[in-house]
Amino acid sequence: MDRARRPRSALAALTAALLAVPGITALSSAADAADADIAVNGGFESGLTGWTCTAGTTVNSPVHSGGSALQATPAGGDNAQCSQTVTVQPNAQYTLSGYVRGTYVYLGASGTGTTDVSTWAQSAPDYKQLSTTFRTGAGTTKVTIYTHGWYGTGAYQADDITLVGPGGGGTTQPPAAPAGLKTTSVTSSSVGLSWSAVTGATGYAVYRDGVKVQTVTGTSATVSGLTAATAYGFQVTAVNDAGESAKSAVVTATTSPGGGGGGGSADLPAHALVGYLHASFANGAGYTRLADVPDSWDVIDLSFGEPTSVTSGDIRFNRCPVTECPNVESDAEFKAAIKAKQAAGKKVLISIGGQNGQVQLTTTAARDSFVSSVSNIIDTYGLDGLDVDFEGHSLSLNAGDTDFKNPTTPVIVNLISALKTLKAKYGAKFVLTMAPETFFVQNGYQYYGTGKWGGQDPRCGAYLPVIHALRDDLTLLHVQDYNSGPIMGLDNQYHSMGGADFHIAMTDMLLTGFPVAGDQNNVFPPLRPDQVAIGMPASTNAGNGYVSPAEVNKALDCLTKKTNCGSYPTHGTWPALRGLMTWSVNWDRYANWAFQKNFDAYFG
């Protein structure tokens, strides 16, 4: 049966029939006098504390009681499950209940050691109570309780979830908030922290400006990926099986002044304009000679180097033939133009991939071929570095590859290895940039690979492990904020192309960091603002998602000055945002250089 389809109502009848069979009769829900509610934050009055959600937030209305309730929206292959693991006693009886609202809303328990249980409401236009019971197995000490919706049926709400039964003999209350938080070291890109141990804590969570960025088991941590000469506020919470403590007092630290970091970024102007130059083909925009590219363009990506086959790793750069580009320059003129651009302080890179250049480094042989062939292109033309523009099916994650910090998929592992090898070969001045699509980066906030239950597109978030592994070597990340479907931002709202808000939301995610696939214990750390440029089409002809110069400026105002913002609430202000990328130089020339002129006017 297709997972996207709704469950048939016959399922409820079958469940009822089974419960009527002797030996499968439902257990009594009566609780002993010593029993207690051992669910943590079942009323969601403390946000999502204690819960792990693939998608979800808290709302103030509609609620069953108190001031908050859970609201979650299934989307795609995600049923918007929220769960928590509770310590229980073996051979004990428990009653799970809660109030739900919506269509096809489930409440259940897994890992019981006997028969896992669930109950569901087919249609609940107002809050409806669900209840079920179970007995734990002889060796069971932990049970996971959960609620979720169904695929494509809209948002649901849940509130006042309880698990009544004997406590697990372990911790039943979250620990106290940590005290003594202080800084131990400060650099231009990191802050070291330490705090006093908390009795009963099994771990600690570190927050930067209110966003959880790290979890540790000891009483110290170093938060990296910070911007030079910038003030940050840090807090810590203590964690145990019962949940998370309140946050500690805030400690503020200001990073020391420093350069732009590795990857050749220190050689770029404070605000850079990046553009792709059609060097191997012509289209409706026409061919533009490299020498004719105006000086406003700080990074020029030669498009494209492509593989001899999808899995060969052998990359070739074939300049546009005269039959297709009558005004194409000679090789000698092209190389001379590269040297002239570099003498003027510009960076000229080879961009690998593009829409048609699928690259899958499935083997170490393909990896090695990639390194040698890309090196040959760089050396032949005397280029400054490499732009990775892998699109389509170049990157995807194998089933079971769920941790972006420790990838296992060969195409991911081999690409990381190849890029690190190229960086080591050419040294600190090597410029490394990436131009992924939103589906491969920001979409990782909701989905990562095939997901815990399978069925998701394996390409979801597939660039994240590459970006993370190369973040210390990465000069620029300019995600393509175009040709994109709606993407959920950190406000848990979907944002669509066509206005400043989309660029603001997508860029804020990169500069704030985000939990991958909704896992608050697996956070993609923020990039430095000097590593980030916003990718936009140069004109309506260049791609879907074009925005006017006025909307471009609104996005820049909001992100760099926190003025002119729209509906999306940003998590900071980043005056050091590096700049803009556009597809393409050729299309901008076709549009009378409107994109470039607006950039020049804005940044002076």
Side-chain angles (χ1 to χ4, degrees):
M1 179 179 178
D2 189 340
R3 289 184 61 195
R5 295 182 182 272
R6 298 180 180 179
R8 296 172 294 175
S9 59
L11 176 61
L14 176 59
T15 303
L18 287 172
L19 290 174
V21 177
I24 313 182
T25 305
L27 297 171
S28 168
S29 61
D32 294 336
D35 290 349
D37 176 16
I38 58 175
V40 175
N41 190 30
F44 300 96
E45 301 302 319
S46 300
L48 298 180
T49 298
W51 296 89
T52 298
C53 301
T54 61
T57 186
T58 53
V59 294
N60 297 325
S61 177
V63 300
H64 175 256
S65 71
S68 298
L70 167 71
Q71 178 167 295
T73 306
D78 178 24
N79 60 10
Q81 176 166 296
C82 282
S83 64
Q84 68 171 261
T85 300
V86 184
T87 301
V88 295
Q89 289 187 12
N91 291 320
Q93 181 177 315
Y94 292 87
T95 299
L96 173 65
S97 66
Y99 290 83
V100 301
R101 181 178 181 273
T103 304
Y104 296 103
V105 191
Y106 289 73
L107 179 69
S110 62
T112 63
T114 54
T115 301
D116 291 350
V117 295
S118 69
T119 180
W120 59 295
Q122 180 175 346
S123 178
D126 202 355
Y127 276 102
K128 175 181 180 179
Q129 186 176 26
L130 297 178
S131 185
T132 185
T133 59
F134 61 88
R135 179 170 289 276
T136 54
T140 302
T141 58
K142 291 183 182 295
V143 168
T144 298
I145 60 174
Y146 62 84
T147 182
H148 66 72
W150 197 254
Y151 310 97
T153 56
Y156 73 89
Q157 292 84 34
D159 200 0
D160 296 332
I161 296 174
T162 61
L163 181 63
V164 176
T171 303
T172 59
Q173 295 293 327
L181 178 63
K182 62 181 180 180
T183 60
T184 57
S185 64
V186 177
T187 73
S188 62
S189 61
S190 67
V191 172
L193 302 166
S194 69
W195 54 90
S196 301
V198 176
T199 302
T202 57
Y204 301 89
V206 181
Y207 288 77
R208 176 188 55 77
D209 294 334
V211 177
K212 185 187 292 185
V213 294
Q214 199 173 137
T215 56
V216 296
T217 56
T219 57
S220 64
T222 298
V223 181
S224 57
L226 305 179
T227 304
T230 302
Y232 294 93
F234 300 96
Q235 292 169 287
V236 180
T237 62
V239 181
N240 62 19
D241 287 343
E244 190 172 355
S245 74
K247 294 185 177 74
S248 69
V250 177
V251 168
T252 300
T254 300
T255 51
S256 57
S265 62
D267 295 334
L268 294 176
H271 301 293
L273 180 61
V274 182
Y276 287 80
L277 183 68
H278 309 176
S280 61
F281 63 94
N283 57 15
Y287 184 82
T288 299
R289 294 163 65 101
L290 179 56
D292 295 335
V293 176
D295 286 342
S296 294
W297 300 88
D298 301 296
V299 180
I300 302 167
D301 295 318
L302 304 176
S303 309
F304 288 105
E306 298 182 355
T308 55
S309 69
V310 172
T311 58
S312 69
D314 185 10
I315 307 299
R316 304 295 174 90
F317 175 50
N318 299 310
R319 298 189 56 241
C320 192
V322 68
T323 52
E324 185 178 350
C325 303
N327 59 324
V328 66
E329 63 269 67
S330 67
D331 278 353
E333 291 171 326
F334 190 69
K335 292 178 181 178
I338 292 172
K339 289 183 178 179
K341 290 295 180 187
Q342 292 168 333
K346 313 303 179 184
K347 305 296 182 184
V348 185
L349 316 180
I350 179 65
S351 180
I352 306 297
Q355 180 178 337
N356 299 324
Q358 304 293 297
V359 182
Q360 297 175 0
L361 304 183
T362 56
T363 64
T364 54
R367 175 200 66 191
D368 295 343
S369 180
F370 181 88
V371 170
S372 62
S373 59
V374 170
S375 297
N376 183 58
I377 296 170
I378 292 172
D379 294 343
T380 297
Y381 292 95
L383 302 177
D384 295 288
L386 168 67
D387 173 68
V388 182
D389 186 10
F390 284 15
E391 300 180 14
H393 291 271
S394 291
L395 293 182
S396 62
L397 294 156
N398 290 349
D401 191 349
T402 59
D403 182 2
F404 75 91
K405 297 176 183 175
N406 298 285
T408 58
T409 305
V411 295
I412 304 292
V413 173
N414 290 332
L415 176 60
I416 291 170
S417 175
L419 296 178
K420 284 186 174 292
T421 299
L422 287 165
K423 172 65 180 178
K425 176 178 180 178
Y426 290 102
K429 295 295 184 181
F430 183 74
V431 178
L432 175 63
T433 67
M434 299 182 190
E437 297 162 288
T438 57
F439 188 84
F440 296 86
V441 184
Q442 289 94 335
N443 196 47
Y445 175 54
Q446 273 191 289
Y447 312 109
Y448 188 70
T450 57
K452 295 179 181 178
W453 300 280
Q456 296 173 187
D457 192 318
R459 298 174 297 167
C460 295
Y463 245 99
L464 293 178
V466 181
I467 298 168
H468 184 67
L470 275 301
R471 63 173 54 240
D472 291 338
D473 300 312
L474 183 63
T475 310
L476 283 176
L477 177 72
H478 31 64
V479 176
Q480 301 177 33
D481 286 1
Y482 45 89
N483 298 332
S484 170
I487 302 291
M488 181 177 284
L490 294 181
D491 58 351
N492 291 324
Q493 302 297 315
Y494 283 99
H495 297 268
S496 299
M497 298 184 301
D501 268 13
F502 186 70
H503 298 294
I504 294 167
M506 296 303 99
T507 308
D508 177 76
M509 296 177 77
L510 302 176
L511 297 173
T512 301
F514 54 87
V516 176
D519 185 352
Q520 295 290 341
N521 294 316
N522 197 28
V523 174
F524 178 79
L527 293 166
R528 302 189 317 267
D530 66 272
Q531 290 178 295
V532 176
I534 310 174
M536 302 176 171
S539 68
T540 55
N541 304 95
N544 295 322
Y546 170 77
V547 297
S548 68
E551 292 297 301
V552 173
N553 294 348
K554 282 182 184 178
L556 292 172
D557 283 347
C558 182
L559 292 164
T560 65
K561 305 172 186 175
K562 216 173 183 64
T563 62
N564 224 1
C565 294
S567 62
Y568 181 87
T570 58
H571 294 79
T573 308
W574 301 279
L577 180 75
R578 183 61 76 176
L580 301 179
M581 173 274 279
T582 193
W583 177 264
S584 62
V585 173
N586 304 62
W587 280 118
D588 196 35
R589 181 184 185 184
Y590 186 84
N592 196 31
W593 303 112
F595 192 89
Q596 171 210 301
K597 289 175 181 176
N598 184 65
F599 177 90
D600 289 343
Y602 188 90
F603 287 112

